[in-house]
Amino acid sequence: MTDTQTDAPAKAAVPGGAGRAGRLVRGWSANLVQMVLGLTQQLLLIPAFLHVWSGDVLAAWLAIYAAGSLVIVADAGLQLRAINRFLSFKSCVDCDGRTASVYHGMLLIYLAIVAGLGILLCAAVYVVPPSAVFGFHAMPTFDAAMLVMTLGTLLSLPANLGSGLYRVRGQYSRAVWLQNAALLFGQIAQLAALAMFGSLLAVAVAFVSTQLLFTIFIVAVDAPRRFPFLRRPARPPLVAPSWRWSIGQLGRALPFAIANITELALVNVPVLLVSALVTDRVAVVQWGLTRVVASLVRGLCLQTALPLGAELGHDHAIGDTERLRRFYAYGSAFVTGLACLVVAGFLPFWPDFFALWTHGSIPYDGPLAVTLLLGSAAGAPSLMALVFANHSNRGTLLIRTKGLQFVVFLALSIVLIPRFGPLGAAIAVVASDIVVQFGLLALVIIWQTLRHPLRHIAFLMLVAAGIVAPVWLIGFAITMLVPGSGLVHFVLECAIWMAVVGGLASPLLNAALRERLRALVPA
């Protein structure tokens, strides 16, 4: 195996052999279902947990769930390294053969990482019990549940490699649909475990078991069947890659690892930091629940941008600069507009939903929610830039900007959380996102990609202001004009808002108008 590209260029195939619009629609459909399942996990399952558990037990589960999500950083950027290698082979002779060679080498690296870190994780939990670190001494199954969650997530990492290959070969949606099935069955299993056993350990086992089944299926069954070149008889017997090659892959994956660590930190580390630095358990739960809405907006932007990133990566790999420029400009405006619309809808109705969601048992923190939501809208363009950077092998840029963002976030968190509590964590997240990720990463990507970067940034700011302010005011007016409380009142408010906003947006159904608006996006 070698990273030196010596093959003569060949005609790049369109991934998946299907039209770009069809691939995007299928990818967005799969991601939409994944978002709904994510909402079910983080929103709709909470009332079921509160029906059985106390607030302290729920706080423990939120810490366990966050720790499991953080284990994904053990991927060490290998998935995006593999994706960029697979993309680079599009202009090579014997694309399938080189892809298979790198795929099998990367798979062995994954297995080695899982084995090594699994042993270290078990030893760490034995030496330093997590219950002592996070203050959950009174819960006898907390340590075991934390080990099951983190170890199970670690064992699921090899699925990332298969998912990356699906993304490059135009079958992004298939990998997501398979994961959706695992998430759905996992949620059903969690409810069953909660009803039958009621313990943290049982729910954690239910959560990770379906993820492990998904990993086994995609790596051992579906990927070899979907891509026969992975198991073609003409291949030589599988041999372990050299240490030099393996270390080289880890080194080149480091920038992507830093980027992923920062993204996961912005979502999950604040939960752990607030748990460790704030003694008020109610405030911990309050933060854990409120940050769900910001994570939802951030996740929506990323899920919208990921199919776009796969297409942009294809254009970048084959050198189609003009198509890349136009597509990036449209994608950036679309992601920004979508994020602003969702934030403007959440702002007026989130207090009513929060009261219904928690049965009034957890106080609502308005400044915390507004800070997180407006920060999510402001950072939306940078997420599009982040996805494109990951799919265009911008390792040097990523390691500089995301490393700086991680340092700024940690420094602000340590200073602000002890003084302001959860609001300090929100300020740290938003400030690091806007100042570093948008102020450096997004500006560099936009400047390098577009012909008119300043006009594009001004256009995005105009779009954001033109959506958030009026749509928020519409929602606020509805809450004032429709007094009341309860589920029926909340549904009525949302229905009226959707009808009004839908009516205002109805001219966009005209294809000619959409084309004129697309022509206004500076590229």
Side-chain angles (χ1 to χ4, degrees):
M1 288 175 213
T2 177
D3 283 341
T4 305
Q5 188 169 312
T6 58
D7 296 317
K11 184 178 180 180
V14 176
R20 170 163 288 182
R23 292 193 300 274
L24 288 174
V25 169
R26 290 194 295 271
W28 284 333
S29 299
N31 285 346
L32 178 61
V33 174
Q34 190 171 70
M35 290 292 299
V36 171
L37 292 172
L39 284 173
T40 303
Q41 178 68 49
Q42 300 190 57
L43 295 179
L44 300 184
L45 290 188
I46 295 298
F49 291 153
L50 286 174
H51 183 73
V52 177
W53 292 340
S54 65
D56 288 344
V57 179
L58 178 60
W61 168 252
L62 293 176
I64 291 171
Y65 185 83
S69 300
L70 280 175
V71 173
I72 300 174
V73 303
D75 178 88
L78 287 173
Q79 183 192 41
L80 288 169
R81 168 61 183 168
I83 287 174
N84 279 282
R85 292 301 293 145
F86 298 155
L87 285 171
S88 70
F89 296 149
K90 285 179 174 291
S91 59
C92 296
V93 174
D94 192 22
C95 175
D96 290 348
R98 301 194 68 177
T99 299
S101 179
V102 170
Y103 179 90
H104 287 294
M106 287 286 194
L107 182 58
L108 291 179
I109 295 176
Y110 268 104
L111 296 178
I113 290 175
V114 168
L117 292 183
I119 294 173
L120 292 177
L121 182 61
C122 293
V125 170
Y126 178 78
V127 174
V128 185
S131 58
V133 176
F134 299 110
F136 295 104
H137 307 275
M139 300 178 190
T141 63
F142 182 86
D143 292 337
M146 180 70 79
L147 178 61
V148 166
M149 177 66 78
T150 52
L151 185 60
T153 305
L154 182 65
L155 294 173
S156 302
L157 287 182
N160 291 352
L161 182 62
S163 298
L165 182 58
Y166 281 67
R167 188 184 304 181
V168 172
R169 291 305 180 104
Q171 299 192 28
Y172 175 89
S173 60
R174 180 172 179 81
V176 179
W177 280 117
L178 291 173
Q179 190 174 18
N180 288 346
L183 291 172
L184 177 60
F185 286 116
Q187 290 172 6
I188 296 173
Q190 287 176 70
L191 292 175
L194 183 70
M196 295 175 63
F197 304 102
S199 68
L200 288 169
L201 178 59
V203 175
V205 170
F207 180 85
V208 301
S209 59
T210 54
Q211 300 303 311
L212 292 175
L213 291 175
F214 162 72
T215 300
I216 294 171
F217 178 75
I218 196 172
V219 172
V221 179
D222 198 61
R225 184 178 60 186
R226 184 66 45 176
F227 309 108
F229 58 84
L230 294 180
R231 52 181 174 83
R232 60 187 183 186
R235 275 189 51 81
L238 183 64
V239 295
S242 67
W243 281 102
R244 181 179 179 181
W245 185 86
S246 300
I247 294 174
Q249 302 313 303
L250 291 171
R252 292 179 176 89
L254 180 61
F256 304 112
I258 292 176
N260 285 334
I261 287 172
T262 304
E263 282 302 305
L264 289 171
L266 292 172
V267 176
N268 297 292
V269 166
V271 178
L272 303 180
L273 288 176
V274 171
S275 297
L277 300 177
V278 178
T279 57
D280 186 357
R281 295 292 94 182
V282 175
V284 175
V285 177
Q286 189 179 56
W287 163 258
L289 297 179
T290 305
R291 46 77 74 174
V292 168
V293 66
S295 299
L296 173 63
V297 177
R298 196 179 191 89
L300 177 63
C301 293
L302 286 173
Q303 296 287 13
T304 303
L306 278 174
L308 297 172
E311 300 296 330
L312 289 168
H314 171 76
D315 291 345
H316 181 267
I318 65 175
D320 193 345
T321 305
E322 185 59 33
R323 192 183 191 195
L324 168 66
R325 181 180 294 115
R326 294 196 308 271
F327 195 66
Y328 182 89
Y330 300 151
S332 178
F334 179 70
V335 171
T336 301
L338 180 63
C340 291
L341 179 63
V342 172
V343 166
F346 273 129
L347 282 168
F349 303 121
W350 182 251
D352 292 342
F353 177 80
F354 193 87
L356 290 170
W357 184 30
T358 61
H359 306 291
S361 60
I362 305 298
Y364 172 73
D365 190 331
L368 177 64
V370 171
T371 300
L372 288 173
L373 283 169
L374 290 180
S376 299
S382 66
L383 295 178
M384 184 68 209
L386 174 65
V387 169
F388 178 49
N390 281 325
H391 287 78
S392 57
N393 207 21
R394 308 289 182 93
T396 302
L397 178 62
L398 283 171
I399 199 169
R400 290 175 179 173
T401 56
K402 299 302 290 185
L404 178 61
Q405 183 181 7
F406 189 58
V407 171
V408 170
F409 162 69
L410 287 179
L412 290 175
S413 296
I414 294 172
V415 172
L416 296 177
I417 292 177
R419 185 173 182 179
F420 298 104
L423 182 59
I427 295 172
V429 170
V430 172
S432 64
D433 204 23
I434 295 176
V435 173
V436 182
Q437 182 161 285
F438 181 81
L440 292 179
L441 177 63
L443 290 182
V444 169
I445 291 293
I446 292 173
W447 200 274
Q448 292 178 349
T449 305
L450 305 183
R451 284 199 183 98
H452 308 289
L454 295 179
R455 287 171 53 187
H456 184 78
I457 294 170
F459 178 81
L460 294 182
M461 295 175 63
L462 181 63
V463 167
I467 292 177
V468 172
V471 176
W472 187 1
L473 289 176
I474 290 172
F476 182 75
I478 291 173
T479 60
M480 293 294 100
L481 296 175
V482 185
S485 61
L487 179 60
V488 175
H489 171 257
F490 174 74
V491 173
L492 179 61
E493 285 181 326
C494 294
I496 295 174
W497 179 86
M498 292 179 66
V500 173
V501 174
L504 293 175
S506 59
L508 294 176
L509 296 175
N510 185 283
L513 176 61
R514 290 200 307 271
E515 288 302 317
R516 287 197 295 270
L517 291 176
R518 279 164 57 94
L520 295 176
V521 180

